[in-house]
């Protein structure tokens, strides 16, 4: 696990091909600020965690880059000047694009704290997606804030020593073998796969409605390459009650709200199918000992009509269940098996292949990170809201590449609150905060959900 894994390759490719760094963020909002000593303790705990890594390039082509422990100091900034209370989220969002993070320098994460002008505070943890997926980052954050009240967590087992030449040679050979096996599996998957048969699969979209409508290039619809953002905060029990009321689960309600907001924004017309990407954690029951940076797969749930707000969540729930069952059974599309082949090809060639084909981005992403008890409590202070989000920095408006499509959202639960941040990437539909807020609020009201949309 000391070398980049298949799930890391996307973020390594984006960095090498386009100069992007995908950055994740956990943000805490406080009515009363946490003690400075507690925040320093959080940073010290993170410096002992799986996040504190440095990336080392291999000596042999084709071999994978490797991770070693970082020797950099804990990255902590405590700001004296207060932030206007109604601009705290804007202050935190700016850190996604301005925080000095560099995997090869061992600066993979950073903590920032600022007071607000009403006696509260805002705390931010930013981290490179290359070093942690959403669950790994949020778990590390939960352990770090727990260290403000208990003993510090055990340090990561990762070595300080970079792999030697023999290790690089062995890994290069392993990668070539994996590429050959992956190519064979991709061919077999392409031959044996078949379109979903709506006659035998009651949750599959009908064939005549499964094709996505043609859209202009993402860069045309997002000329500024600057997403809009809103954050939804509601009571967890209330959210679960609303989901059960309509025959669903909290997760299927989340997917329905994200999909519905996409339709409400005008991105898709009623009856047009949309693809909802739903990330799935691949970590087992011993996740605390899992040192992998990224261990997240994904399923695509096709919604072939706008979920009937205030209606039956059963169809969305069934499609999510069918997609999760397929992944659990080992079913993968042919392209999945080509990851190992792409890793041994020159980055320039992979870039040409990727840019020559249609965009593989889903229309929306609904990432449910789950429940994290204790995450909101930093020392003696408890946050009124904890949110999670992600974005890519380095996206150039004058280039054709874009990071996101439609809308993306990340949900987490902590201390009885369910919070999800929503990003609007398609500027023709949700190019302003007000447009995105209106679309999200319309869906929440239709499902009878009470909550703040800020």
């Amino acid at each position: 696990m000391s070398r980049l894994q298949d799930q890391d390759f996307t973020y390594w490719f984006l960095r090498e091909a386009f100069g992007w760094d995908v950055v994740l963020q956990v943000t805490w909002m406080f009515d009363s600020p946490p003690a400075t000593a507690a925040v320093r303790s959080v940073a010290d705990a993170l410096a002992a965690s799986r996040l504190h890594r440095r990336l080392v390039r291999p000596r042999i082509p084709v071999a994978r880059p490797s991770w070693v422990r970082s020797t950099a100091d804990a990255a902590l900034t405590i700001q004296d000047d207060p932030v206007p209370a109604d601009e705290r989220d804007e202050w935190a969002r700016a850190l996604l694009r301005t925080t000095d993070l560099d995997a090869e320098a061992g600066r993979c994460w950073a903590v920032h704290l600022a007071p607000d002008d009403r006696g509260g505070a805002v705390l931010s943890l930013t981290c490179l997606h290359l070093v942690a997926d959403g669950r790994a980052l949020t778990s590390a954050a939960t352990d770090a804030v727990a260290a403000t009240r208990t003993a510090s967590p055990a340090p990561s087992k990762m070595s300080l020593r970079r792999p030697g030449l023999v290790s690089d040679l062995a890994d290069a050979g392993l990668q070539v073998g994996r590429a050959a096996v992956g190519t064979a599996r991709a061919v077999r998957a392409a031959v044996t796969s078949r379109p979903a048969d709506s006659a035998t699969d009651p949750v599959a979209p009908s064939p005549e409605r499964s094709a996505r409508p043609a859209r202009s290039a993402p860069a045309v619809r997002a000329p500024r390459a600057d997403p809009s953002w809103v954050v939804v905060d509601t009571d967890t029990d209330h959210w679960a009650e609303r989901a059960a009321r309509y025959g669903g689960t909290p997760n299927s309600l989340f997917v329905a709200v994200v999909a519905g907001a996409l339709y409400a924004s005008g991105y898709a017309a009623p009856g047009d199918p949309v693809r909802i990407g739903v990330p799935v954690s691949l970590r087992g029951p011993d996740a605390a000992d899992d040192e992998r940076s990224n261990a997240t797969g994904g399923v695509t749930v096709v919604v072939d009509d706008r979920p009937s707000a205030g209606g039956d969540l059963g169809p969305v729930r069934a499609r999510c269940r069918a997609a999760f069952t397929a992944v659990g059974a080992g079913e993968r599309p042919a392209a999945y098996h080509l990851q190992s082949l792409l890793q041994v090809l020159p980055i320039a060639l992979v870039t040409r292949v990727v840019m020559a084909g249609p965009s593989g981005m889903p229309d929306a992403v609904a990432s449910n990170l789950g429940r994290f008890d204790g995450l909101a409590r930093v020392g003696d202070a408890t946050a009124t809201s904890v949110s999670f989000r992600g974005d890519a920095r380095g996206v150039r408006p004058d280039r054709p590449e874009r990071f996101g499509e439609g809308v993306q959202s990340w949900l987490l639960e902590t201390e009885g609150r369910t919070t999800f941040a929503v990003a609007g990437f398609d500027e023709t539909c949700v190019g302003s905060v007000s447009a995105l807020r209106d679309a999200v609020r319309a869906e929440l009201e239709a499902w009878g959900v009470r909550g703040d949309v800020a």
Side-chain angles (χ1 to χ4, degrees):
M1 298 305 173
S2 65
R3 293 186 184 269
L4 291 191
Q5 303 295 300
D6 287 349
Q7 288 79 22
D8 305 328
F9 179 71
T10 296
Y11 309 104
W12 174 250
F13 168 75
L14 293 177
R15 185 175 188 264
E16 293 295 285
F18 305 133
W20 298 358
D21 280 316
V22 182
V23 182
L24 304 178
Q25 181 182 52
V26 182
T27 304
W28 294 257
M29 302 293 183
F30 296 92
D31 285 344
S32 299
T36 300
V39 177
R40 292 189 187 280
S41 178
V42 169
D44 290 341
L46 291 170
S49 76
R50 69 177 72 174
L51 304 186
H52 205 57
R53 302 182 176 191
R54 180 171 64 87
L55 192 69
V56 179
R57 291 179 183 264
R59 298 178 176 91
I60 303 297
V62 181
R64 294 168 294 174
S66 56
W67 291 112
V68 298
R69 289 283 297 162
S70 173
T71 57
D73 293 335
L76 172 63
T77 300
I78 298 178
Q79 180 174 311
D80 293 326
D81 296 334
V83 175
D86 57 358
E87 297 178 11
R88 294 186 303 180
D89 198 64
E90 182 179 347
W91 175 86
R93 292 198 313 268
L95 294 173
L96 280 175
R97 297 194 175 187
T98 61
T99 303
D100 180 20
L101 302 175
D102 186 334
E104 292 186 70
R107 299 192 304 274
C108 292
W109 60 274
V111 172
H112 290 77
L113 174 70
D116 67 34
D117 60 0
R118 296 180 187 170
V122 52
L123 177 66
S124 163
L125 167 61
T126 50
C127 181
L128 293 174
H129 206 323
L130 184 63
V131 78
D133 57 22
R135 190 152 189 88
L137 174 60
T138 313
S139 296
T142 302
D143 291 343
V145 300
T148 66
R149 302 181 301 276
T150 61
S152 297
S156 170
K157 302 183 182 79
M158 188 161 288
S159 172
L160 283 167
R161 182 180 302 175
R162 68 177 297 176
L165 183 60
V166 172
S167 177
D168 283 350
L169 281 168
D171 191 69
L174 175 64
Q175 289 300 94
V176 171
R178 292 179 70 246
V181 171
T183 302
R185 288 176 176 171
V187 171
R188 184 168 64 249
V191 170
T192 59
S193 64
R194 61 182 179 87
D197 183 354
S198 60
T200 58
D201 185 353
V203 302
S206 57
E208 66 272 16
R209 302 178 70 183
S210 62
R212 301 167 75 193
R215 302 187 191 282
S216 56
V220 174
R221 290 179 285 114
R224 300 193 313 270
D226 185 15
S228 54
W229 292 88
V230 298
V231 177
V232 177
D233 191 75
T234 186
D235 179 80
T236 296
D237 289 341
H238 170 64
W239 180 261
E241 182 274 325
R242 289 285 86 192
R245 167 69 177 78
Y246 298 109
T249 62
N251 188 62
S252 57
L253 177 58
F254 176 46
V255 172
V257 167
V258 171
L262 200 64
Y263 284 99
S265 72
Y267 177 94
D272 286 345
V274 296
R275 297 192 310 172
I276 313 298
V278 182
V280 179
S281 176
L282 302 178
R283 300 182 191 277
D286 297 326
D289 297 324
D290 191 335
E291 291 275 342
R292 285 180 293 176
S293 297
N294 291 275
T296 303
V299 300
T300 299
V301 177
V302 179
V303 177
D304 59 357
D305 200 355
R306 180 176 182 175
S308 179
D312 184 12
L313 281 171
V316 172
R317 182 180 184 180
R319 288 181 183 173
C320 290
R321 184 190 305 117
F324 297 149
T325 300
V327 169
E331 295 181 21
R332 298 289 190 276
Y336 172 86
H337 301 289
L338 291 177
Q339 285 182 326
S340 52
L341 174 62
L342 296 178
Q343 292 180 51
V344 304
L345 297 176
I347 288 288
L349 176 59
V350 177
T351 303
R352 286 199 296 271
V353 171
V354 170
M355 296 303 295
S359 171
M361 292 184 290
D363 300 294
V365 173
S367 180
N368 187 340
L369 299 174
R371 176 177 171 178
F372 294 88
D373 293 327
L375 176 61
R377 289 175 285 143
V378 180
D380 294 330
T382 299
T384 56
S385 176
V386 185
S387 60
F388 186 100
R389 73 182 113 227
D391 198 5
R393 72 177 187 189
V395 181
R396 292 173 47 185
D398 60 329
R399 295 281 300 164
E401 307 88 14
R402 290 296 183 271
F403 173 66
E405 224 337 334
V407 299
Q408 295 188 15
S409 185
W410 300 261
L411 178 149
L412 58 81
E413 299 177 18
T414 184
E415 306 304 316
R417 304 299 295 173
T418 291
T419 306
F420 53 98
V422 185
F425 288 93
D426 189 323
E427 296 167 18
T428 63
C429 300
V430 283
S432 67
V433 172
S434 60
L436 181 60
R437 183 185 294 120
D438 288 346
V440 173
R441 185 172 285 158
E443 286 304 300
L444 294 174
E445 291 176 353
W447 289 102
V449 176
R450 300 186 305 270
D452 298 325
V453 185

